[in-house]
Amino acid sequence: MSYGQGGPPSQWDPWKPQSQQPWSSGGGSDSGQAPDWAALAEASETRHKRRRLLFIGGGAIATAAIGTAVAVAVVSANGSNQASDPSSQLPATAGLPSPTGTVPSFAPTSAPPPLDPKDFVSSAQKDRAPLGPDVLFPGTQLTMGDTVYKKGPTADTRNCASAAKATLPKVLTDNGCGRLLRVTYTKDDVAVTVGVAVFDTEAQAAKAKQQADAKSIIKSLAGGGVKEFCDGAVCRSTTNSYGRYAYFTLSGFTAAKNVTEKDKAVFSTGNDLAEFTFRQILRRGEAQASAAAEE
């Protein structure tokens, strides 16, 4: 068998650049052989498949390399091969503010108890304010609600028994009354005399109030345009005390007639003057307590 010029044909390898594809005989013609297009297409397809495999494999290797690089970067940033922990980024204990170290402390304080006004009218030692009929009963008239009472004569005696009647002189003397202040108020034909007995202590005044009975009355005080009243006629009387003061009222008609339970004007007049006397003694204590608190 003759292979023609150049010796036997070389084996064709599509992956070797120098290899040549064999030419098929085309009916024994010497003018040249046509390429095998089917074989070329198959070889090209094979090359494309190998390239895709190479790309896929290379991508996986690259991804793994990137992941490793990230892991190494994280480890390097945290140091000591420790995983990232948010608590490890907090400052040390010494750098944190102490919950109690900077809290200001205050010494306990308490306001002084308020002064009791009654204390200043319960003993002669504390009750040092000026005292007299015109101090307790100032002005020329007194208004209680809608009623206006006209102020009449006043009196101030150191002999308490001389300004009292019936059983009251003994009560005042036995308990050490040192002064008796009196004032009279009028409204129409009704008159009332208020008597304030002054003692050294609250206990003396309270005892005088306790010992007084229905016959313990003060003398009515007339004059200065006020007619005599409650001199032989039945009148209404009251007795009370506050602090070192015992106070009494005697109410009746200036026409020298007896007072009955139906005479509401007499009762209301006596009640108004007794209430006003209590308020004046209380105000006396409040004024002295306020002055002492400002010292």
Side-chain angles (χ1 to χ4, degrees), residues 113-224:
L115 300 176
D116 187 354
K118 190 176 182 182
D119 288 344
F120 291 85
V121 292
S122 294
S123 67
Q125 287 75 16
K126 281 192 172 184
D127 190 9
R128 310 296 296 177
L131 180 62
D134 291 327
V135 173
L136 282 181
F137 306 98
T140 59
Q141 65 183 27
L142 169 65
T143 302
M144 296 291 289
D146 297 330
T147 305
V148 178
Y149 299 99
K150 183 180 178 181
K151 182 181 176 182
T154 63
D156 184 358
T157 178
R158 302 287 175 170
N159 182 2
C160 298
S162 65
K165 285 185 177 182
T167 61
L168 186 57
K170 184 177 187 305
V171 171
L172 297 178
T173 301
D174 289 349
N175 289 286
C177 176
R179 193 174 180 183
L180 184 60
L181 312 177
R182 288 182 298 165
V183 62
T184 295
Y185 286 89
T186 60
K187 168 65 177 169
D188 298 331
D189 61 343
V190 176
V192 55
T193 294
V194 180
V196 180
V198 184
F199 298 87
D200 286 341
T201 66
E202 180 182 9
Q204 291 173 316
K207 191 173 181 180
K209 172 190 172 182
Q210 182 182 7
Q211 292 177 350
D213 56 26
K215 296 181 180 180
S216 299
I217 59 175
I218 58 172
K219 286 182 178 180
S220 61
L221 183 63

Side-chain angles (χ1 to χ4, degrees), residues 106-110:
F106 300 94
T109 60
S110 60

